[in-house]
mmCIF file of all heavy atoms in Angstrom:
data_model
loop_
_atom_site.group_PDB
_atom_site.id
_atom_site.type_symbol
_atom_site.label_atom_id
_atom_site.label_comp_id
_atom_site.label_asym_id
_atom_site.label_seq_id
_atom_site.Cartn_x
_atom_site.Cartn_y
_atom_site.Cartn_z
ATOM 1 N N TYR A 17 -1.057 17.302 1.423
ATOM 2 C CA TYR A 17 -0.508 18.301 0.499
ATOM 3 C C TYR A 17 -1.359 19.557 0.480
ATOM 4 O O TYR A 17 -2.561 19.523 0.752
ATOM 5 C CB TYR A 17 -0.473 17.750 -0.936
ATOM 6 C CG TYR A 17 0.472 16.599 -1.128
ATOM 7 C CD1 TYR A 17 -0.015 15.302 -1.296
ATOM 8 C CD2 TYR A 17 1.844 16.795 -1.147
ATOM 9 C CE1 TYR A 17 0.848 14.242 -1.483
ATOM 10 C CE2 TYR A 17 2.715 15.733 -1.318
ATOM 11 C CZ TYR A 17 2.206 14.463 -1.490
ATOM 12 O OH TYR A 17 3.067 13.415 -1.666
ATOM 13 N N GLU A 18 -0.708 20.659 0.126
ATOM 14 C CA GLU A 18 -1.368 21.914 -0.220
ATOM 15 C C GLU A 18 -0.913 22.251 -1.621
ATOM 16 O O GLU A 18 0.293 22.186 -1.913
ATOM 17 C CB GLU A 18 -0.923 23.060 0.695
ATOM 18 C CG GLU A 18 -1.443 22.986 2.087
ATOM 19 C CD GLU A 18 -1.021 24.195 2.915
ATOM 20 O OE1 GLU A 18 -0.178 25.001 2.467
ATOM 21 O OE2 GLU A 18 -1.537 24.329 4.018
ATOM 22 N N VAL A 19 -1.844 22.602 -2.478
ATOM 23 C CA VAL A 19 -1.503 23.016 -3.835
ATOM 24 C C VAL A 19 -2.114 24.394 -4.046
ATOM 25 O O VAL A 19 -3.329 24.577 -3.881
ATOM 26 C CB VAL A 19 -2.040 22.025 -4.890
ATOM 27 C CG1 VAL A 19 -1.726 22.518 -6.294
ATOM 28 C CG2 VAL A 19 -1.453 20.640 -4.667
ATOM 29 N N LEU A 20 -1.268 25.355 -4.369
ATOM 30 C CA LEU A 20 -1.727 26.705 -4.675
ATOM 31 C C LEU A 20 -1.685 26.849 -6.185
ATOM 32 O O LEU A 20 -0.633 26.632 -6.798
ATOM 33 C CB LEU A 20 -0.840 27.748 -4.001
ATOM 34 C CG LEU A 20 -1.276 29.204 -4.156
ATOM 35 C CD1 LEU A 20 -2.638 29.431 -3.509
ATOM 36 C CD2 LEU A 20 -0.249 30.136 -3.555
ATOM 37 N N ILE A 21 -2.825 27.172 -6.794
ATOM 38 C CA ILE A 21 -2.849 27.359 -8.239
ATOM 39 C C ILE A 21 -3.183 28.808 -8.551
ATOM 40 O O ILE A 21 -3.940 29.458 -7.840
ATOM 41 C CB ILE A 21 -3.842 26.403 -8.933
ATOM 42 C CG1 ILE A 21 -5.271 26.583 -8.442
ATOM 43 C CG2 ILE A 21 -3.410 24.963 -8.775
ATOM 44 C CD1 ILE A 21 -6.303 25.756 -9.191
ATOM 45 N N VAL A 35 -11.598 23.468 -13.307
ATOM 46 C CA VAL A 35 -10.205 23.111 -13.024
ATOM 47 C C VAL A 35 -10.116 22.480 -11.633
ATOM 48 O O VAL A 35 -9.504 21.424 -11.453
ATOM 49 C CB VAL A 35 -9.271 24.338 -13.127
ATOM 50 C CG1 VAL A 35 -7.868 24.010 -12.652
ATOM 51 C CG2 VAL A 35 -9.242 24.871 -14.558
ATOM 52 N N ARG A 38 -11.784 19.042 -11.541
ATOM 53 C CA ARG A 38 -10.969 18.016 -12.206
ATOM 54 C C ARG A 38 -9.878 17.512 -11.269
ATOM 55 O O ARG A 38 -9.614 16.314 -11.192
ATOM 56 C CB ARG A 38 -10.382 18.554 -13.499
ATOM 57 C CG ARG A 38 -9.766 17.455 -14.343
ATOM 58 C CD ARG A 38 -9.397 17.911 -15.725
ATOM 59 N NE ARG A 38 -8.323 18.876 -15.648
ATOM 60 C CZ ARG A 38 -8.295 20.023 -16.306
ATOM 61 N NH1 ARG A 38 -9.284 20.370 -17.082
ATOM 62 N NH2 ARG A 38 -7.275 20.838 -16.193
ATOM 63 N N ILE A 39 -9.253 18.422 -10.510
ATOM 64 C CA ILE A 39 -8.220 18.017 -9.554
ATOM 65 C C ILE A 39 -8.851 17.180 -8.442
ATOM 66 O O ILE A 39 -8.306 16.143 -8.056
ATOM 67 C CB ILE A 39 -7.499 19.254 -8.983
ATOM 68 C CG1 ILE A 39 -6.734 19.970 -10.088
ATOM 69 C CG2 ILE A 39 -6.544 18.846 -7.862
ATOM 70 C CD1 ILE A 39 -6.216 21.323 -9.706
ATOM 71 N N ARG A 40 -9.996 17.623 -7.960
ATOM 72 C CA ARG A 40 -10.690 16.895 -6.888
ATOM 73 C C ARG A 40 -11.010 15.461 -7.339
ATOM 74 O O ARG A 40 -10.780 14.498 -6.612
ATOM 75 C CB ARG A 40 -11.970 17.625 -6.515
ATOM 76 C CG ARG A 40 -12.762 16.944 -5.438
ATOM 77 C CD ARG A 40 -14.056 17.686 -5.166
ATOM 78 N NE ARG A 40 -14.502 17.395 -3.829
ATOM 79 C CZ ARG A 40 -15.191 18.208 -3.069
ATOM 80 N NH1 ARG A 40 -15.497 19.402 -3.495
ATOM 81 N NH2 ARG A 40 -15.566 17.844 -1.878
ATOM 82 N N LEU A 42 -9.542 13.696 -9.647
ATOM 83 C CA LEU A 42 -8.285 12.948 -9.772
ATOM 84 C C LEU A 42 -7.800 12.458 -8.412
ATOM 85 O O LEU A 42 -7.372 11.305 -8.269
ATOM 86 C CB LEU A 42 -7.232 13.852 -10.416
ATOM 87 C CG LEU A 42 -5.939 13.218 -10.845
ATOM 88 C CD1 LEU A 42 -6.183 12.165 -11.903
ATOM 89 C CD2 LEU A 42 -4.999 14.282 -11.389
ATOM 90 N N VAL A 43 -7.885 13.316 -7.397
ATOM 91 C CA VAL A 43 -7.447 12.948 -6.042
ATOM 92 C C VAL A 43 -8.313 11.815 -5.493
ATOM 93 O O VAL A 43 -7.794 10.802 -5.006
ATOM 94 C CB VAL A 43 -7.498 14.183 -5.095
ATOM 95 C CG1 VAL A 43 -7.344 13.765 -3.647
ATOM 96 C CG2 VAL A 43 -6.417 15.188 -5.480
ATOM 97 N N TRP A 50 -9.983 14.372 -0.339
ATOM 98 C CA TRP A 50 -10.092 15.815 -0.591
ATOM 99 C C TRP A 50 -10.464 16.499 0.710
ATOM 100 O O TRP A 50 -11.373 16.061 1.409
ATOM 101 C CB TRP A 50 -11.167 16.057 -1.638
ATOM 102 C CG TRP A 50 -11.315 17.486 -2.016
ATOM 103 C CD1 TRP A 50 -12.219 18.373 -1.521
ATOM 104 C CD2 TRP A 50 -10.528 18.202 -2.963
ATOM 105 N NE1 TRP A 50 -12.045 19.597 -2.115
ATOM 106 C CE2 TRP A 50 -11.013 19.526 -3.001
ATOM 107 C CE3 TRP A 50 -9.462 17.863 -3.784
ATOM 108 C CZ2 TRP A 50 -10.477 20.493 -3.829
ATOM 109 C CZ3 TRP A 50 -8.924 18.825 -4.607
ATOM 110 C CH2 TRP A 50 -9.422 20.126 -4.622
ATOM 111 N N LEU A 76 -5.771 24.472 -2.512
ATOM 112 C CA LEU A 76 -6.397 23.163 -2.418
ATOM 113 C C LEU A 76 -5.637 22.325 -1.405
ATOM 114 O O LEU A 76 -4.406 22.324 -1.418
ATOM 115 C CB LEU A 76 -6.350 22.461 -3.782
ATOM 116 C CG LEU A 76 -6.710 23.319 -4.992
ATOM 117 C CD1 LEU A 76 -6.466 22.542 -6.278
ATOM 118 C CD2 LEU A 76 -8.143 23.778 -4.910
ATOM 119 N N PHE A 78 -5.409 18.375 0.333
ATOM 120 C CA PHE A 78 -5.859 16.992 0.236
ATOM 121 C C PHE A 78 -4.756 16.061 0.715
ATOM 122 O O PHE A 78 -3.609 16.474 0.893
ATOM 123 C CB PHE A 78 -6.263 16.636 -1.202
ATOM 124 C CG PHE A 78 -5.186 16.865 -2.234
ATOM 125 C CD1 PHE A 78 -4.257 15.878 -2.532
ATOM 126 C CD2 PHE A 78 -5.107 18.066 -2.918
ATOM 127 C CE1 PHE A 78 -3.268 16.085 -3.487
ATOM 128 C CE2 PHE A 78 -4.124 18.288 -3.873
ATOM 129 C CZ PHE A 78 -3.203 17.287 -4.159
ATOM 130 N N ALA A 80 -3.009 12.362 -0.293
ATOM 131 C CA ALA A 80 -2.928 11.417 -1.407
ATOM 132 C C ALA A 80 -1.532 10.813 -1.464
ATOM 133 O O ALA A 80 -0.623 11.255 -0.755
ATOM 134 C CB ALA A 80 -3.245 12.132 -2.723
ATOM 135 N N SER A 81 -1.390 9.844 -2.343
ATOM 136 C CA SER A 81 -0.074 9.232 -2.556
ATOM 137 C C SER A 81 0.762 10.165 -3.435
ATOM 138 O O SER A 81 0.214 11.007 -4.161
ATOM 139 C CB SER A 81 -0.232 7.879 -3.244
ATOM 140 O OG SER A 81 -0.706 8.071 -4.567
ATOM 141 N N PRO A 82 2.079 10.021 -3.395
ATOM 142 C CA PRO A 82 2.932 10.853 -4.259
ATOM 143 C C PRO A 82 2.610 10.678 -5.752
ATOM 144 O O PRO A 82 2.731 11.621 -6.525
ATOM 145 C CB PRO A 82 4.343 10.362 -3.941
ATOM 146 C CG PRO A 82 4.246 9.796 -2.566
ATOM 147 C CD PRO A 82 2.866 9.210 -2.475
ATOM 148 N N GLU A 83 2.157 9.493 -6.142
ATOM 149 C CA GLU A 83 1.809 9.257 -7.548
ATOM 150 C C GLU A 83 0.625 10.112 -7.973
ATOM 151 O O GLU A 83 0.586 10.633 -9.088
ATOM 152 C CB GLU A 83 1.507 7.769 -7.786
ATOM 153 C CG GLU A 83 2.726 6.871 -7.722
ATOM 154 C CD GLU A 83 3.236 6.610 -6.300
ATOM 155 O OE1 GLU A 83 2.475 6.843 -5.335
ATOM 156 O OE2 GLU A 83 4.397 6.190 -6.169
ATOM 157 N N VAL A 84 -0.350 10.263 -7.080
ATOM 158 C CA VAL A 84 -1.513 11.103 -7.382
ATOM 159 C C VAL A 84 -1.075 12.560 -7.507
ATOM 160 O O VAL A 84 -1.492 13.267 -8.420
ATOM 161 C CB VAL A 84 -2.621 10.937 -6.305
ATOM 162 C CG1 VAL A 84 -3.719 11.983 -6.471
ATOM 163 C CG2 VAL A 84 -3.196 9.533 -6.352
ATOM 164 N N LEU A 85 -0.208 13.011 -6.610
ATOM 165 C CA LEU A 85 0.290 14.384 -6.697
ATOM 166 C C LEU A 85 1.039 14.602 -8.010
ATOM 167 O O LEU A 85 0.886 15.648 -8.641
ATOM 168 C CB LEU A 85 1.208 14.716 -5.514
ATOM 169 C CG LEU A 85 1.770 16.139 -5.565
ATOM 170 C CD1 LEU A 85 0.665 17.170 -5.357
ATOM 171 C CD2 LEU A 85 2.865 16.321 -4.550
ATOM 172 N N ASN A 86 1.822 13.619 -8.436
ATOM 173 C CA ASN A 86 2.532 13.736 -9.713
ATOM 174 C C ASN A 86 1.563 13.903 -10.871
ATOM 175 O O ASN A 86 1.798 14.707 -11.786
ATOM 176 C CB ASN A 86 3.424 12.515 -9.953
ATOM 177 C CG ASN A 86 4.627 12.496 -9.041
ATOM 178 O OD1 ASN A 86 4.999 13.524 -8.466
ATOM 179 N ND2 ASN A 86 5.228 11.334 -8.885
ATOM 180 N N GLU A 87 0.457 13.164 -10.835
ATOM 181 C CA GLU A 87 -0.543 13.271 -11.908
ATOM 182 C C GLU A 87 -1.250 14.627 -11.846
ATOM 183 O O GLU A 87 -1.506 15.240 -12.881
ATOM 184 C CB GLU A 87 -1.546 12.119 -11.812
ATOM 185 C CG GLU A 87 -2.577 12.109 -12.902
ATOM 186 C CD GLU A 87 -2.008 11.933 -14.315
ATOM 187 O OE1 GLU A 87 -0.840 11.542 -14.476
ATOM 188 O OE2 GLU A 87 -2.761 12.212 -15.273
ATOM 189 N N VAL A 88 -1.548 15.122 -10.640
ATOM 190 C CA VAL A 88 -2.158 16.452 -10.490
ATOM 191 C C VAL A 88 -1.218 17.504 -11.077
ATOM 192 O O VAL A 88 -1.635 18.360 -11.866
ATOM 193 C CB VAL A 88 -2.468 16.754 -9.001
ATOM 194 C CG1 VAL A 88 -2.772 18.233 -8.779
ATOM 195 C CG2 VAL A 88 -3.622 15.885 -8.505
ATOM 196 N N SER A 89 0.064 17.433 -10.732
ATOM 197 C CA SER A 89 1.046 18.401 -11.247
ATOM 198 C C SER A 89 1.160 18.319 -12.766
ATOM 199 O O SER A 89 1.260 19.337 -13.446
ATOM 200 C CB SER A 89 2.411 18.174 -10.607
ATOM 201 O OG SER A 89 2.372 18.550 -9.259
ATOM 202 N N ARG A 90 1.138 17.105 -13.298
ATOM 203 C CA ARG A 90 1.232 16.921 -14.755
ATOM 204 C C ARG A 90 0.052 17.601 -15.445
ATOM 205 O O ARG A 90 0.235 18.337 -16.420
ATOM 206 C CB ARG A 90 1.260 15.433 -15.104
ATOM 207 C CG ARG A 90 1.522 15.159 -16.575
ATOM 208 C CD ARG A 90 1.357 13.684 -16.911
ATOM 209 N NE ARG A 90 -0.034 13.274 -16.912
ATOM 210 C CZ ARG A 90 -0.890 13.521 -17.917
ATOM 211 N NH1 ARG A 90 -0.494 14.188 -18.977
ATOM 212 N NH2 ARG A 90 -2.134 13.101 -17.845
ATOM 213 N N LEU A 91 -1.161 17.403 -14.914
ATOM 214 C CA LEU A 91 -2.338 18.029 -15.522
ATOM 215 C C LEU A 91 -2.292 19.551 -15.411
ATOM 216 O O LEU A 91 -2.677 20.251 -16.346
ATOM 217 C CB LEU A 91 -3.613 17.503 -14.876
ATOM 218 C CG LEU A 91 -4.071 16.136 -15.347
ATOM 219 C CD1 LEU A 91 -5.345 15.718 -14.620
ATOM 220 C CD2 LEU A 91 -4.296 16.107 -16.834
ATOM 221 N N LEU A 92 -1.834 20.058 -14.265
ATOM 222 C CA LEU A 92 -1.762 21.511 -14.093
ATOM 223 C C LEU A 92 -0.742 22.129 -15.051
ATOM 224 O O LEU A 92 -0.941 23.244 -15.542
ATOM 225 C CB LEU A 92 -1.432 21.861 -12.644
ATOM 226 C CG LEU A 92 -2.542 21.562 -11.637
ATOM 227 C CD1 LEU A 92 -2.040 21.767 -10.215
ATOM 228 C CD2 LEU A 92 -3.778 22.404 -11.907
ATOM 229 N N LYS A 93 0.349 21.411 -15.325
ATOM 230 C CA LYS A 93 1.375 21.927 -16.238
ATOM 231 C C LYS A 93 0.882 22.041 -17.673
ATOM 232 O O LYS A 93 1.305 22.934 -18.399
ATOM 233 C CB LYS A 93 2.610 21.017 -16.224
ATOM 234 C CG LYS A 93 3.462 21.176 -14.995
ATOM 235 C CD LYS A 93 4.628 20.203 -15.042
ATOM 236 C CE LYS A 93 5.358 20.203 -13.724
ATOM 237 N NZ LYS A 93 6.392 19.157 -13.656
ATOM 238 N N ILE A 94 0.002 21.136 -18.097
ATOM 239 C CA ILE A 94 -0.431 21.153 -19.495
ATOM 240 C C ILE A 94 -1.702 21.960 -19.722
ATOM 241 O O ILE A 94 -2.104 22.159 -20.854
ATOM 242 C CB ILE A 94 -0.604 19.719 -20.054
ATOM 243 C CG1 ILE A 94 -1.690 18.953 -19.306
ATOM 244 C CG2 ILE A 94 0.721 18.978 -20.036
ATOM 245 C CD1 ILE A 94 -2.005 17.591 -19.897
ATOM 246 N N ASP A 95 -2.345 22.447 -18.666
ATOM 247 C CA ASP A 95 -3.561 23.247 -18.805
ATOM 248 C C ASP A 95 -3.173 24.710 -19.037
ATOM 249 O O ASP A 95 -2.516 25.331 -18.196
ATOM 250 C CB ASP A 95 -4.432 23.112 -17.548
ATOM 251 C CG ASP A 95 -5.839 23.624 -17.769
ATOM 252 O OD1 ASP A 95 -6.024 24.514 -18.625
ATOM 253 O OD2 ASP A 95 -6.748 23.138 -17.078
ATOM 254 N N ASP A 96 -3.586 25.257 -20.161
ATOM 255 C CA ASP A 96 -3.202 26.625 -20.536
ATOM 256 C C ASP A 96 -3.737 27.702 -19.609
ATOM 257 O O ASP A 96 -3.186 28.789 -19.555
ATOM 258 C CB ASP A 96 -3.667 26.937 -21.966
ATOM 259 C CG ASP A 96 -2.888 26.149 -23.005
ATOM 260 O OD1 ASP A 96 -1.784 25.675 -22.685
ATOM 261 O OD2 ASP A 96 -3.398 26.010 -24.137
ATOM 262 N N VAL A 98 -3.824 27.566 -16.354
ATOM 263 C CA VAL A 98 -3.060 27.566 -15.109
ATOM 264 C C VAL A 98 -1.738 28.281 -15.387
ATOM 265 O O VAL A 98 -0.881 27.772 -16.108
ATOM 266 C CB VAL A 98 -2.807 26.128 -14.590
ATOM 267 C CG1 VAL A 98 -1.991 26.158 -13.310
ATOM 268 C CG2 VAL A 98 -4.121 25.396 -14.373
ATOM 269 N N LEU A 99 -1.591 29.489 -14.827
ATOM 270 C CA LEU A 99 -0.361 30.251 -15.054
ATOM 271 C C LEU A 99 0.797 29.686 -14.237
ATOM 272 O O LEU A 99 1.922 29.605 -14.709
ATOM 273 C CB LEU A 99 -0.571 31.728 -14.699
ATOM 274 C CG LEU A 99 -1.653 32.465 -15.486
ATOM 275 C CD1 LEU A 99 -1.749 33.906 -15.023
ATOM 276 C CD2 LEU A 99 -1.380 32.395 -16.971
ATOM 277 N N ARG A 100 0.524 29.318 -12.985
ATOM 278 C CA ARG A 100 1.543 28.736 -12.094
ATOM 279 C C ARG A 100 0.832 27.842 -11.097
ATOM 280 O O ARG A 100 -0.335 28.031 -10.776
ATOM 281 C CB ARG A 100 2.293 29.812 -11.294
ATOM 282 C CG ARG A 100 3.192 30.721 -12.102
ATOM 283 C CD ARG A 100 4.460 29.990 -12.518
ATOM 284 N NE ARG A 100 5.440 30.875 -13.109
ATOM 285 C CZ ARG A 100 5.470 31.236 -14.387
ATOM 286 N NH1 ARG A 100 4.549 30.805 -15.203
ATOM 287 N NH2 ARG A 100 6.409 32.032 -14.843
ATOM 288 N N HIS A 101 1.581 26.899 -10.553
ATOM 289 C CA HIS A 101 1.071 26.107 -9.428
ATOM 290 C C HIS A 101 2.253 25.704 -8.559
ATOM 291 O O HIS A 101 3.397 25.644 -9.021
ATOM 292 C CB HIS A 101 0.282 24.879 -9.904
ATOM 293 C CG HIS A 101 1.125 23.740 -10.342
ATOM 294 N ND1 HIS A 101 1.718 23.683 -11.584
ATOM 295 C CD2 HIS A 101 1.496 22.613 -9.693
ATOM 296 C CE1 HIS A 101 2.399 22.564 -11.687
ATOM 297 N NE2 HIS A 101 2.301 21.896 -10.554
ATOM 298 N N MET A 102 1.967 25.481 -7.291
ATOM 299 C CA MET A 102 3.001 25.052 -6.363
ATOM 300 C C MET A 102 2.380 24.057 -5.391
ATOM 301 O O MET A 102 1.346 24.341 -4.787
ATOM 302 C CB MET A 102 3.566 26.241 -5.591
ATOM 303 C CG MET A 102 4.669 25.843 -4.621
ATOM 304 S SD MET A 102 5.433 27.234 -3.779
ATOM 305 C CE MET A 102 4.103 27.769 -2.737
ATOM 306 N N ALA A 103 3.010 22.910 -5.275
ATOM 307 C CA ALA A 103 2.530 21.882 -4.349
ATOM 308 C C ALA A 103 3.571 21.703 -3.251
ATOM 309 O O ALA A 103 4.769 21.627 -3.526
ATOM 310 C CB ALA A 103 2.326 20.563 -5.089
ATOM 311 N N VAL A 104 3.101 21.664 -2.006
ATOM 312 C CA VAL A 104 3.995 21.449 -0.869
ATOM 313 C C VAL A 104 3.367 20.441 0.083
ATOM 314 O O VAL A 104 2.143 20.283 0.120
ATOM 315 C CB VAL A 104 4.310 22.760 -0.096
ATOM 316 C CG1 VAL A 104 5.075 23.736 -0.960
ATOM 317 C CG2 VAL A 104 3.053 23.393 0.447
ATOM 318 N N ARG A 105 4.232 19.751 0.821
ATOM 319 C CA ARG A 105 3.739 18.853 1.858
ATOM 320 C C ARG A 105 3.261 19.683 3.031
ATOM 321 O O ARG A 105 3.942 20.608 3.460
ATOM 322 C CB ARG A 105 4.883 17.935 2.300
ATOM 323 C CG ARG A 105 4.483 16.500 2.312
ATOM 324 C CD ARG A 105 5.611 15.615 2.662
ATOM 325 N NE ARG A 105 5.951 15.817 4.071
ATOM 326 C CZ ARG A 105 7.118 15.535 4.588
ATOM 327 N NH1 ARG A 105 8.063 15.049 3.842
ATOM 328 N NH2 ARG A 105 7.346 15.726 5.852
#
Side-chain angles (χ1 to χ4, degrees):
Y17 294 107
E18 288 183 350
V19 177
L20 184 63
I21 59 174
V35 172
R38 191 170 67 226
I39 295 169
R40 179 183 204 150
L42 190 62
V43 168
W50 183 263
L76 316 173
F78 56 88
S81 68
E83 289 75 17
V84 170
L85 179 68
N86 289 342
E87 182 62 15
V88 166
S89 290
R90 187 188 73 78
L91 281 180
L92 291 172
K93 284 178 189 173
I94 63 174
D95 194 332
D96 291 340
V98 179
L99 300 180
R100 292 285 189 275
H101 79 280
M102 181 176 69
V104 296
R105 230 177 69 203

